Coordinates of all heavy atoms in Angstrom, one line a residue:
V70 N -55.3 4.8 50.2 CA -56.3 3.9 50.8 C -55.6 2.8 51.5 O -54.8 2.1 50.8 CB -57.3 3.4 49.8 CG1 -58.4 2.6 50.5 CG2 -57.9 4.5 49.0
W71 N -55.7 2.6 52.8 CA -54.9 1.6 53.5 C -55.9 0.8 54.3 O -56.7 1.3 55.1 CB -53.9 2.4 54.4 CG -53.0 1.5 55.2 CD1 -52.0 0.7 54.8 CD2 -53.0 1.3 56.7 NE1 -51.4 0.1 55.8 CE2 -52.0 0.4 57.0 CE3 -53.8 1.8 57.7 CZ2 -51.7 0.0 58.3 CZ3 -53.5 1.5 59.0 CH2 -52.5 0.6 59.3
R72 N -55.9 -0.5 54.0 CA -56.9 -1.4 54.7 C -58.3 -0.9 54.6 O -59.0 -0.9 55.6 CB -56.4 -1.7 56.1 CG -55.0 -2.3 56.2 CD -54.6 -2.5 57.6 NE -53.2 -3.1 57.5 CZ -52.4 -3.2 58.6 NH1 -52.9 -2.9 59.8 NH2 -51.2 -3.7 58.5
G73 N -58.6 -0.4 53.4 CA -60.0 0.1 53.2 C -60.3 1.4 53.8 O -61.5 1.9 53.7
R74 N -59.3 2.1 54.4 CA -59.6 3.4 55.0 C -58.7 4.5 54.4 O -57.7 4.2 53.8 CB -59.3 3.3 56.5 CG -60.4 2.3 57.1 CD -60.1 2.0 58.6 NE -58.9 1.3 58.8 CZ -58.4 1.0 60.0 NH1 -59.0 1.5 61.1 NH2 -57.3 0.4 60.2
L75 N -59.2 5.7 54.6 CA -58.5 6.8 54.0 C -57.4 7.3 55.0 O -57.7 7.5 56.2 CB -59.4 8.0 53.7 CG -60.3 7.8 52.5 CD1 -61.3 9.0 52.3 CD2 -59.5 7.7 51.2
V76 N -56.3 7.6 54.4 CA -55.1 8.1 55.3 C -55.0 9.6 55.2 O -54.9 10.2 54.1 CB -53.8 7.4 54.8 CG1 -52.6 7.9 55.6 CG2 -54.0 5.9 54.9
D77 N -55.0 10.3 56.3 CA -54.9 11.7 56.4 C -55.8 12.5 55.5 O -55.4 13.5 54.9 CB -53.4 12.1 56.0 CG -52.5 11.8 57.2 OD1 -52.9 11.9 58.4 OD2 -51.3 11.4 56.9
E78 N -57.1 12.1 55.6 CA -58.1 12.7 54.8 C -58.2 14.2 55.0 O -58.3 15.1 54.1 CB -59.4 12.1 55.1 CG -60.6 12.7 54.4 CD -61.9 12.2 54.9 OE1 -62.1 11.0 55.1 OE2 -62.8 13.0 55.3
A79 N -58.2 14.6 56.3 CA -58.4 16.0 56.7 C -57.2 16.9 56.1 O -57.5 18.0 55.5 CB -58.5 16.2 58.2
R80 N -56.0 16.4 56.1 CA -54.9 17.1 55.6 C -55.0 17.2 54.0 O -54.7 18.3 53.5 CB -53.6 16.5 56.0 CG -53.2 16.8 57.4 CD -52.0 16.2 57.9 NE -51.7 16.7 59.3 CZ -50.9 16.2 60.2 NH1 -50.2 15.1 59.8 NH2 -50.7 16.7 61.4
H81 N -55.4 16.2 53.4 CA -55.6 16.2 51.9 C -56.7 17.3 51.6 O -56.6 18.0 50.6 CB -55.9 14.9 51.4 CG -54.7 14.0 51.3 ND1 -53.7 14.2 50.4 CD2 -54.3 12.9 52.0 CE1 -52.8 13.3 50.5 NE2 -53.1 12.5 51.5
M82 N -57.8 17.2 52.4 CA -58.9 18.2 52.1 C -58.4 19.6 52.3 O -58.8 20.5 51.5 CB -60.1 17.9 53.0 CG -60.8 16.6 52.6 SD -61.4 16.8 50.9 CE -61.8 15.2 50.5
A83 N -57.7 19.8 53.3 CA -57.2 21.2 53.6 C -56.3 21.7 52.5 O -56.3 22.8 52.0 CB -56.5 21.2 54.9
R84 N -55.4 20.8 52.0 CA -54.5 21.2 50.9 C -55.3 21.4 49.6 O -55.0 22.4 48.9 CB -53.4 20.1 50.6 CG -52.4 20.6 49.6 CD -51.2 19.6 49.5 NE -51.7 18.3 49.1 CZ -50.9 17.2 49.0 NH1 -49.6 17.3 49.4 NH2 -51.3 16.1 48.6
L85 N -56.3 20.6 49.3 CA -57.2 20.8 48.2 C -57.8 22.2 48.2 O -57.8 23.0 47.3 CB -58.2 19.7 48.0 CG -59.2 19.9 46.8 CD1 -58.4 19.7 45.5 CD2 -60.3 18.9 46.9
E86 N -58.3 22.5 49.4 CA -59.0 23.8 49.6 C -58.0 24.9 49.3 O -58.3 25.9 48.7 CB -59.6 23.9 51.0 CG -60.5 25.1 51.2 CD -61.2 25.1 52.5 OE1 -62.1 24.3 52.7 OE2 -60.8 25.9 53.4
R87 N -56.8 24.8 49.8 CA -55.8 25.8 49.6 C -55.5 25.9 48.1 O -55.4 27.1 47.6 CB -54.5 25.4 50.4 CG -53.4 26.5 50.3 CD -52.2 26.1 51.1 NE -51.2 27.2 50.9 CZ -50.4 27.2 49.8 NH1 -50.4 26.2 48.9 NH2 -49.5 28.2 49.7
S88 N -55.3 24.8 47.4 CA -55.0 24.9 46.0 C -56.1 25.6 45.2 O -55.8 26.4 44.4 CB -54.8 23.4 45.4 OG -53.8 22.7 46.0
L89 N -57.3 25.3 45.6 CA -58.5 25.9 44.9 C -58.5 27.4 45.2 O -58.7 28.2 44.3 CB -59.8 25.3 45.4 CG -60.1 23.8 45.0 CD1 -61.2 23.3 45.7 CD2 -60.3 23.8 43.5
T90 N -58.2 27.8 46.4 CA -58.3 29.2 46.8 C -57.2 29.9 46.1 O -57.4 31.0 45.6 CB -58.1 29.3 48.4 OG1 -59.1 28.5 49.0 CG2 -58.2 30.7 48.8
E91 N -56.0 29.4 46.0 CA -54.8 30.1 45.4 C -55.2 30.4 43.9 O -54.7 31.3 43.4 CB -53.6 29.2 45.5 CG -53.0 29.1 46.9 CD -52.5 30.5 47.4 OE1 -51.9 31.2 46.7 OE2 -52.8 30.8 48.6
L92 N -55.9 29.5 43.3 CA -56.2 29.6 41.8 C -57.6 30.2 41.6 O -58.0 30.3 40.4 CB -56.1 28.3 41.1 CG -54.7 27.7 41.2 CD1 -54.6 26.4 40.4 CD2 -53.6 28.6 40.7
E93 N -58.3 30.6 42.7 CA -59.6 31.1 42.6 C -60.6 30.2 41.8 O -61.4 30.7 40.9 CB -59.6 32.5 41.9 CG -58.9 33.5 42.8 CD -58.8 34.9 42.2 OE1 -59.8 35.3 41.5 OE2 -57.7 35.5 42.3
I94 N -60.4 28.9 42.0 CA -61.4 28.0 41.5 C -62.4 27.7 42.6 O -62.1 27.4 43.7 CB -60.8 26.6 41.1 CG1 -59.7 26.8 40.0 CG2 -61.8 25.6 40.7 CD1 -58.9 25.6 39.6
P95 N -63.7 28.0 42.3 CA -64.7 27.7 43.4 C -64.8 26.3 43.8 O -64.7 25.4 42.9 CB -66.0 28.2 42.8 CG -65.8 28.3 41.3 CD -64.4 28.4 41.1
P96 N -64.9 25.9 45.0 CA -65.0 24.5 45.4 C -66.2 23.9 44.8 O -67.3 24.6 44.8 CB -65.1 24.5 46.9 CG -65.1 26.0 47.4 CD -64.9 26.8 46.2
P97 N -66.1 22.7 44.2 CA -67.3 22.1 43.6 C -68.4 21.8 44.5 O -69.6 21.7 44.2 CB -66.8 20.9 42.8 CG -65.5 20.6 43.5 CD -64.9 21.9 44.1
M98 N -68.0 21.5 45.8 CA -69.0 21.1 46.8 C -68.3 21.3 48.2 O -67.1 21.6 48.2 CB -69.5 19.7 46.6 CG -68.5 18.7 46.5 SD -69.1 17.0 46.3 CE -69.7 17.0 44.6
S99 N -69.0 21.0 49.3 CA -68.4 21.2 50.6 C -67.3 20.1 50.8 O -67.3 19.1 50.1 CB -69.5 21.0 51.7 OG -69.9 19.7 51.7
Q100 N -66.5 20.4 51.8 CA -65.4 19.4 52.1 C -66.0 18.0 52.5 O -65.6 17.0 52.1 CB -64.5 19.9 53.2 CG -63.5 20.8 52.7 CD -62.3 20.9 53.7 OE1 -62.2 20.1 54.6 NE2 -61.5 21.9 53.5
A101 N -67.1 18.1 53.2 CA -67.8 16.9 53.7 C -68.3 16.1 52.5 O -68.2 14.9 52.4 CB -68.9 17.2 54.7
A102 N -68.9 16.8 51.5 CA -69.4 16.2 50.3 C -68.3 15.6 49.5 O -68.4 14.5 49.0 CB -70.3 17.1 49.5
L103 N -67.2 16.3 49.4 CA -66.0 15.8 48.6 C -65.5 14.5 49.3 O -65.2 13.5 48.6 CB -64.9 16.8 48.6 CG -65.1 18.0 47.6 CD1 -64.0 19.0 47.9 CD2 -65.0 17.5 46.2
A104 N -65.5 14.5 50.6 CA -65.0 13.3 51.3 C -65.9 12.2 51.1 O -65.5 11.0 50.9 CB -64.9 13.7 52.8
H105 N -67.2 12.5 51.0 CA -68.2 11.4 50.7 C -68.0 10.8 49.4 O -68.0 9.6 49.2 CB -69.6 12.0 50.9 CG -70.7 10.9 50.5 ND1 -71.0 9.9 51.3 CD2 -71.3 10.8 49.3 CE1 -71.9 9.1 50.6 NE2 -72.1 9.6 49.4
V106 N -67.7 11.7 48.4 CA -67.5 11.2 47.0 C -66.2 10.3 47.0 O -66.2 9.2 46.4 CB -67.3 12.4 46.0 CG1 -66.7 11.9 44.7 CG2 -68.6 13.1 45.8
M107 N -65.2 10.7 47.7 CA -64.0 9.9 47.8 C -64.2 8.5 48.4 O -63.9 7.5 47.8 CB -62.9 10.6 48.6 CG -62.2 11.7 47.9 SD -60.5 11.9 48.5 CE -60.7 12.4 50.1
R108 N -64.9 8.5 49.5 CA -65.3 7.2 50.2 C -66.1 6.4 49.3 O -65.9 5.1 49.2 CB -66.0 7.5 51.5 CG -65.2 8.2 52.5 CD -65.5 7.6 53.9 NE -64.6 8.4 54.7 CZ -65.0 9.5 55.3 NH1 -66.2 9.9 55.2 NH2 -64.2 10.2 56.0
E109 N -67.1 7.0 48.7 CA -68.1 6.2 47.8 C -67.3 5.6 46.6 O -67.6 4.5 46.2 CB -69.2 7.1 47.4 CG -70.4 6.5 46.7 CD -71.1 5.4 47.5 OE1 -70.9 5.3 48.8 OE2 -71.7 4.5 46.9

Side-chain angles (χ1 to χ4, degrees):
V70 182
W71 182 69
R72 300 181 181 168
R74 293 174 295 173
L75 283 178
V76 177
D77 283 328
E78 176 193 309
R80 283 180 176 163
H81 284 288
M82 286 302 168
R84 187 172 62 187
L85 179 66
E86 189 172 290
R87 180 178 180 277
S88 298
L89 290 168
T90 304
E91 290 295 317
L92 298 182
E93 297 177 40
I94 297 175
M98 52 178 73
S99 70
Q100 276 200 15
L103 281 172
H105 174 77
V106 167
M107 282 208 298
R108 291 217 182 94
E109 188 59 19

